[in-house]
Amino acid sequence: MSEIFAAVSGFFLPALLALILVHGFVKKAPVYDLFVEGCREGIQAAVEITPYIIAVFLVIQIMTDSGALDLLERLCEPLLTPLGIPEELISFMIMRPVSGSGTLAIIENIADTYGPDSFLCRCASVMMGSSETILYAVAVYFGATHVKKMRHTVTAGVVGYVVGIWLSVLLCRIM
């Protein structure tokens, strides 16, 4: 079965591109001009969101280098431990709303320290899959679209994040 999937996947992208080209020619659309225009808009969007990405990474670096992240971990520990959340996952929980790559590094450290099949690594993996980089996404997407009034976006994102994190630990304990 895996050989079939491997063969099909090798042809999928070229077939999809051919289908798009044929569809464009049938509709008499200027396919090449539309492609170039899409590339232009993509590059422009990348340039527009770059300052927001730099700002997020700068905040992460400042929090890490200044010791604010460690202080925040120590402040959260007495609140989260009674809820059944292991203290080893607190840094992950603090970093996840801000940085996906930062949390990947934390998961790698947890896997190296406790093992990939450990309860902590399973929890971190489930948390990674069931949560989002809320602040990063809001900064980048709202910045790129020039939306100034976020209304309930951050609040709803944080509530969903907290519920997802807590349920991740609960489900890992049950399983």
Side-chain angles (χ1 to χ4, degrees):
M1 189 67 155
S2 64
E3 295 86 18
I4 295 171
F5 284 129
V8 170
S9 67
F11 292 105
F12 181 75
L13 192 56
L16 181 63
L17 291 174
L19 180 68
I20 291 169
L21 288 173
V22 167
H23 179 73
F25 288 128
V26 167
K27 294 286 187 177
K28 295 183 175 41
V31 176
Y32 182 74
D33 294 337
L34 291 172
F35 174 76
V36 170
E37 181 62 28
C39 289
R40 182 179 295 120
E41 289 175 8
I43 290 171
Q44 184 178 4
V47 168
E48 287 179 8
I49 66 171
T50 299
Y52 300 99
I53 294 172
I54 291 171
V56 167
F57 286 129
L58 185 63
V59 167
I60 292 168
Q61 193 64 45
I62 290 170
M63 284 186 64
T64 304
D65 291 347
S66 69
L69 188 60
D70 293 333
L71 176 64
L72 199 53
E73 285 179 33
R74 286 195 299 273
L75 291 173
C76 290
E77 185 179 341
L79 301 171
L80 297 175
T81 305
L83 296 174
I85 298 172
E87 65 183 84
E88 296 86 355
L89 297 177
I90 294 174
S91 60
F92 175 92
M93 293 170 47
I94 293 170
M95 186 65 74
R96 180 64 178 147
V98 181
S99 170
S101 58
T103 51
L104 279 175
I106 293 170
I107 288 179
E108 182 181 4
N109 184 33
I110 289 171
D112 288 344
T113 305
Y114 301 100
D117 292 330
S118 67
F119 172 73
L120 291 171
C121 194
R122 282 195 322 268
C123 279
S125 298
V126 172
M127 286 178 185
M128 185 75 167
S130 60
S131 62
E132 180 57 66
T133 53
I134 304 162
L135 302 177
Y136 176 82
V138 167
V140 171
Y141 298 129
F142 280 76
T145 57
H146 306 291
V147 173
K148 301 295 181 206
K149 294 183 180 181
M150 292 184 246
R151 297 196 58 196
H152 307 294
T153 304
V154 175
T155 305
V158 169
V159 168
Y161 175 76
V162 169
V163 169
I165 292 296
W166 184 73
L167 284 175
S168 296
V169 174
L170 182 66
L171 289 173
C172 285
R173 285 200 190 282
I174 292 171
M175 304 300 252

